[in-house]
Amino acid sequence: VQFSFLIRQDFLTETSSINLLKMKMIAMVALIAFVVTMLCSKAEAGKLSQRACQDKNAGDACIKPRCELSNPPDWCATEEMTCVACNDYLYCKRPGTSALPAT
């Protein structure tokens, strides 16, 4: 069996190097799309945030689900959350955050 083709410089032909470049570009675009999606999504407004405002009115105080954990974030002690109306639902929101839920 001849393995000399592994040593030769022209092992990658022009078409295979172009395909390799295309695969790298596709992977890069997919990675960028994933990062942008993660940075732009609003993860706060979910079902648990809606449940925190169940049987309440807009403007009422609420407790975010993360603040009820055994090790809550530091902002839970210093910020007062309120129920905010959006798309016919109430969401428990921190002050200064967008009222729009994640889609």
Side-chain angles (χ1 to χ4, degrees):
V1 178
Q2 293 285 335
F3 292 107
S4 61
F5 69 91
L6 293 174
I7 300 171
R8 291 192 328 220
Q9 291 290 337
D10 61 344
F11 173 67
L12 288 176
T13 63
E14 186 176 324
T15 56
S16 64
S17 64
I18 290 173
N19 289 336
L20 186 62
L21 182 62
K22 284 181 183 178
M23 288 191 307
K24 286 181 182 180
M25 292 295 284
I26 290 170
M28 179 117 29
V29 168
L31 179 63
I32 291 170
F34 176 75
V35 169
V36 168
T37 301
M38 291 293 106
L39 292 176
C40 294
S41 64
K42 297 173 185 69
E44 278 194 76
K47 296 290 182 190
L48 293 176
S49 185
Q50 288 178 0
R51 200 172 301 145
C53 286
Q54 194 171 5
D55 301 325
K56 297 187 182 205
N57 296 316
D60 289 350
C62 59
I63 299 172
K64 289 197 68 63
R66 290 181 60 193
C67 296
E68 296 179 325
L69 298 174
S70 59
N71 188 14
D74 294 336
W75 52 261
C76 288
T78 59
E79 296 180 15
E80 184 176 321
M81 283 65 74
T82 57
C83 293
V84 177
C86 182
N87 296 336
D88 298 328
Y89 293 102
L90 288 176
Y91 294 94
C92 188
K93 302 297 290 180
R94 294 171 60 188
T97 57
S98 172
L100 297 175
T103 55

